[in-house]
Amino acid sequence: MEGSVYHVPVLLKEAVDGLNINPEGVYVDVTFGGGGHSREILERLSSNGHLYSFDQDADAAANVWEDSRFTFIRSNFRYLKNWMRYYNVNQIDGLLADLGVSSHHFDVEERGFSFRFDGLLDMRMNRQARMTAADVINLYDEERLANLFYLYGELKQSRKLAALLVKSRKIRRIETSAALMEVVRPVFARDREKKELAKLFQALRIEVNEEMDALRRMLQSATQLIRPGGRLVVLTYHSLEDRMVKNIIKCGNVEGQIEQDLFGRTNTPFRAVNNKVIVAGEEEIRMNPRSRSAKLRIAERIDFKSGSV
């Protein structure tokens, strides 16, 4: 299995161990990226096992290899259920999702994901999509921008940021990272500038790629597809996505609405395998600083009607 890994997988062993792999099982990696997690999963499958891996990015498709046990699907993972139906897969033994943005995206200037470069404000994971980050900044009204920065970036200065951007874009369209930072820098304290800029870029990326809606749909599909005894393994990197994953495990829905049966048992289809999230150790953080914010959650599918796997 050859191919250039353009992203160092976070918590590789812990995540794949969490799948508790059946060598003859069917697994899904919904975030192929550089293929690190997928490679490790395939190493643990027999000739009768199979892995389906998703990625909507054309750059990720360049990392794919030939293997009779492996199927690459170039698509957003929001369409998980549709594609499994296409391949006549009714149930799977486990699903892994690494929700972090690939280091490759941050390192390629023209993709516009990082404020380290003066690139065009693109941020599309799927470059065939129409809306870019520049479109969001220049077309959304002030209230919508403020809500976006507050909800997806958790920025306390969201209203001030939105007002500045709307005022600035009347003079000149904001097209690049440098132009954006020139407008917003006065709002951020110097000692927190990098962290605040990271939150701003995160908010724009989430909006451009409709990440929260995609995650919601994928988790709902995973709940239906994973067979009793199968595993859901998810790496999250910010509180919004972590809350959704935590809720799907605890309550069976991303909203966190608890429903109980006549005996007072919560109607959730999952049992948390690790009640405390798994995080990267000092050595991994040193080798891969982006693993610092990673949280790994593992859950096992149960038959909640009987309470057994």
Side-chain angles (χ1 to χ4, degrees):
M1 295 178 288
E2 300 295 332
S4 58
V5 177
Y6 71 178
H7 172 69
V8 179
V10 173
L11 291 167
L12 174 62
K13 183 178 186 301
E14 294 86 344
V16 179
D17 282 353
L19 287 171
N20 193 28
I21 289 177
N22 167 12
E24 298 190 349
V26 175
Y27 293 87
V28 177
D29 176 359
V30 294
T31 48
F32 179 75
H37 287 115
S38 285
R39 282 184 176 87
E40 183 64 24
I41 292 169
L42 275 180
E43 290 291 337
R44 305 187 189 194
L45 292 181
S46 71
S47 58
N48 295 321
H50 203 88
L51 172 66
Y52 296 88
S53 292
F54 284 71
D55 207 297
Q56 62 184 327
D57 196 332
D59 290 356
N63 299 318
V64 172
W65 55 81
E66 290 293 328
D67 191 306
S68 61
R69 303 167 299 160
F70 174 71
T71 300
F72 178 75
I73 301 169
R74 187 180 162 191
S75 177
N76 189 297
F77 60 47
R78 71 171 66 227
Y79 303 115
L80 168 65
K81 188 164 66 172
N82 304 59
W83 280 104
M84 291 299 95
R85 186 184 302 122
Y86 175 81
Y87 284 106
N88 295 316
V89 176
N90 297 316
Q91 286 189 314
I92 61 176
D93 294 278
L95 180 146
L96 185 148
D98 179 355
L99 303 177
V101 179
S102 169
S103 53
H104 168 78
H105 291 121
F106 286 118
D107 293 339
V108 178
E109 184 174 344
E110 62 268 23
R111 300 300 295 271
F113 284 93
S114 174
F115 54 83
R116 289 184 292 130
F117 309 111
D118 182 21
L120 291 174
L121 288 165
D122 190 324
M123 301 195 192
R124 293 172 298 171
M125 294 288 188
N126 178 0
R127 285 189 277 190
Q128 294 179 335
R130 289 183 297 176
M131 186 175 67
T132 67
D135 293 329
V136 170
I137 290 167
N138 290 284
L139 298 177
Y140 280 23
D141 63 34
E142 186 174 326
E143 182 178 5
R144 193 175 181 187
L145 280 175
N147 291 338
L148 160 66
F149 296 148
Y150 184 78
L151 180 63
Y152 293 160
E154 299 179 296
L155 287 160
K156 295 178 181 178
Q157 316 94 323
S158 59
R159 294 199 176 280
K160 187 178 289 187
L161 286 168
L164 276 175
L165 288 168
V166 169
K167 181 179 179 180
S168 180
R169 75 192 190 190
K170 289 178 181 177
I171 301 170
R172 184 178 66 248
R173 182 177 164 89
I174 301 167
E175 295 276 6
T176 66
S177 300
L180 173 60
M181 288 190 289
E182 182 182 349
V183 175
V184 303
R185 265 204 173 106
V187 180
F188 300 139
R190 180 164 294 186
D191 62 334
R192 289 189 53 82
E193 183 180 87
K194 286 187 177 180
K195 287 186 177 180
E196 300 299 287
L197 284 172
K199 289 181 178 181
L200 175 62
F201 274 63
Q202 171 186 289
L204 290 169
R205 188 201 77 228
I206 290 173
E207 178 69 9
V208 167
N209 296 288
E210 300 179 325
E211 291 180 24
M212 293 299 98
D213 181 63
L215 178 57
R216 178 182 292 103
R217 292 178 59 178
M218 184 274 286
L219 290 173
Q220 290 169 343
S221 295
T223 299
Q224 298 168 22
L225 286 165
I226 298 174
R227 72 175 77 250
R231 294 285 183 91
L232 172 69
V233 177
V234 187
L235 279 155
T236 67
Y237 295 81
H238 59 78
S239 60
L240 293 172
E241 58 191 19
D242 188 61
R243 191 177 305 125
M244 291 174 68
V245 176
K246 184 178 179 180
N247 284 342
I248 202 80
I249 295 171
K250 182 180 179 181
C251 310
N253 59 75
V254 296
E255 295 80 17
Q257 297 174 353
I258 295 177
E259 297 179 2
Q260 296 181 327
D261 62 17
L262 295 173
F263 302 98
R265 296 178 302 188
T266 300
N267 285 335
T268 176
F270 290 109
R271 175 186 65 84
V273 173
N274 59 320
N275 291 316
K276 185 177 180 181
V277 294
I278 298 170
V279 297
E282 291 182 7
E283 179 64 19
E284 178 160 3
I285 292 172
R286 187 180 68 80
M287 298 295 293
N288 185 8
R290 290 180 53 253
S291 67
R292 184 184 303 275
S293 59
K295 293 181 179 180
L296 176 63
R297 293 188 184 275
I298 304 168
E300 187 168 61
R301 182 69 161 86
I302 62 173
D303 179 356
F304 67 84
K305 292 180 180 179
S306 65
S308 61
V309 296

